[in-house]
Amino acid sequence: MDIEMNYGGDYKYIPALSIRSGTGIEVLPDLYQHTIQIVNIFLYGHPQKDDFVLIDAGMPHSAQKIISVIQERFGENKKPKAIILTHGHFDHVGAIIELVNHWNIPVYAHPLELPFLTGKESYPEPDATVEGGLIAKMSPMFPIEPIQLGNHVHPLPADGQIPYMPDFHWIHTPGHSPGHISLFRENDGLLIVGDAFVTVRQDALFNVLIQQKEINGPPRYLTSDWQQAWDSVKKLEALNPQIAVTGHGLPISGEELTTDLAKLVLHFREMAIPEYGKYLN
Ligand SMILES: [Zn+2]
Ligand SMILES: [Zn+2]
């Protein structure tokens, strides 16, 4: 029996914007980043080929936008082979049901993220008390109830492989969410981070608005395990990535990436962990 897909009861449009909203960057010939309001989606695959995947699924009510971005890059009537999720927060699954309905393609996520994607478990309530700007203040309105993808969502292969992304493997990077993953390609050091760290201070309104580039820890208001989050950043630094793209903010590469990431690992307590907030133990 097919389970009907639906969003949680608290699903809604979130009126948050950045200046990069609606713009895209070709990070590499086979990797395109596009910003939906305040979050990035990624298209992996050469535009001349038919094999490509969508990584993450944008903000609520952005499906038409995502479809047109894909048509522009890959051509009319082209569709991704699959949607790979770094995690299931509302800003990464916001348009997923319309997209799955439109293309009839599978979704893959880490097994520990599946309860949030199959109607079983809500995310912890956002912490609006963490210091910072309007995004943190807005966070109580963020959808946290589970969405229901039924049998359209599948666990990622346990051996680290990623369907339709043969040169990559996934790395479990929990802390921001229990089943958060990052995607790594060894031959050129390309790291698709998700929200394990980001390149904009998501809790500071002004930085979100102008997208000032600055490596920081995961968005604070939704991160529920800071020790795990720190360990995950260490794990990613140990890969020695050469290019990193993140769920929020601009791509970062080379010396700047190496230096900034080392600094984040070393000073995670001061830079990333809020001074107060309800997820501190
Ligand atoms: Zn997130
Ligand atoms: Zn996010």
Side-chain angles (χ1 to χ4, degrees), residues 5-278:
M5 290 190 286
N6 55 262
Y7 291 111
D10 58 353
Y11 178 81
K12 62 173 107 46
Y13 176 78
I14 301 294
L17 274 183
S18 73
I19 53 161
R20 297 213 58 87
S21 181
T23 67
I25 302 169
E26 187 168 79
V27 183
L28 291 169
D30 61 356
L31 187 74
Y32 186 75
Q33 160 174 334
H34 185 91
T35 307
I36 307 280
Q37 294 177 252
I38 55 163
V39 73
N40 297 320
I41 58 166
F42 299 94
L43 293 166
Y44 165 67
H46 282 280
Q48 296 81 11
K49 294 183 186 158
D50 275 349
D51 269 18
F52 66 97
V53 298
L54 172 64
I55 298 149
D56 287 346
M59 295 285 280
H61 301 287
S62 65
Q64 278 317 316
K65 183 72 224 174
I66 293 174
I67 291 167
S68 63
V69 166
I70 286 178
Q71 285 183 345
E72 240 167 76
R73 185 162 170 84
F74 291 91
E76 294 272 324
N77 302 320
K78 291 292 168 62
K79 63 176 194 178
K81 297 282 185 201
I83 301 173
I84 315 290
L85 293 178
T86 61
H87 62 305
H89 283 156
F90 77 97
D91 51 334
H92 299 253
V93 301
I96 198 160
I97 291 178
E98 295 88 333
L99 296 177
V100 168
N101 276 328
H102 186 73
W103 292 317
N104 191 27
I105 55 170
V107 178
Y108 292 91
H110 189 279
L112 292 176
E113 210 68 1
L114 293 181
F116 311 104
L117 301 168
T118 53
K120 295 193 179 72
E121 203 180 320
S122 289
Y123 284 110
E125 269 177 50
D127 188 351
T129 68
V130 290
E131 72 268 39
L134 193 65
I135 300 282
K137 299 288 174 277
M138 277 170 90
S139 65
M141 74 184 287
F142 293 167
I144 54 166
E145 287 179 24
I147 66 169
Q148 176 58 270
L149 294 175
N151 52 16
H152 297 274
V153 64
H154 309 276
L156 282 160
D159 61 3
Q161 290 194 57
I162 307 172
Y164 308 105
M165 298 181 73
D167 297 338
F168 286 78
H169 67 274
W170 60 263
I171 300 137
H172 187 207
T173 44
H176 180 59
S177 76
H180 189 284
I181 61 151
S182 307
L183 296 71
F184 188 60
R185 180 163 69 186
E186 217 135 279
N187 56 32
D188 63 352
L190 170 61
L191 181 64
I192 301 171
V193 178
D195 284 358
F197 67 83
V198 299
T199 58
V200 63
R201 276 201 54 174
Q202 199 63 19
D203 60 330
L205 175 69
F206 184 69
N207 289 5
V208 171
L209 209 57
I210 64 162
Q211 299 273 290
Q212 186 179 314
K213 191 157 73 178
E214 175 187 17
I215 282 198
N216 214 302
R220 290 176 170 181
Y221 40 86
L222 284 174
T223 299
S224 48
D225 189 323
W226 284 102
Q227 187 54 52
Q228 278 191 345
W230 194 349
D231 291 342
S232 291
V233 172
K234 288 178 191 162
K235 210 191 262 188
L236 295 177
E237 192 214 11
L239 297 169
N240 190 23
Q242 296 305 304
I243 310 168
V245 293
T246 60
H248 306 271
L250 290 163
I252 187 165
S253 64
E255 194 55 42
E256 191 183 15
L257 170 59
T258 308
T259 316
D260 281 19
L261 197 51
K263 191 171 131 199
L264 179 63
V265 165
L266 202 60
H267 301 289
F268 194 83
R269 194 177 296 281
E270 308 90 87
M271 287 176 68
I273 304 179
E275 279 164 33
Y276 47 90
K278 61 182 166 190

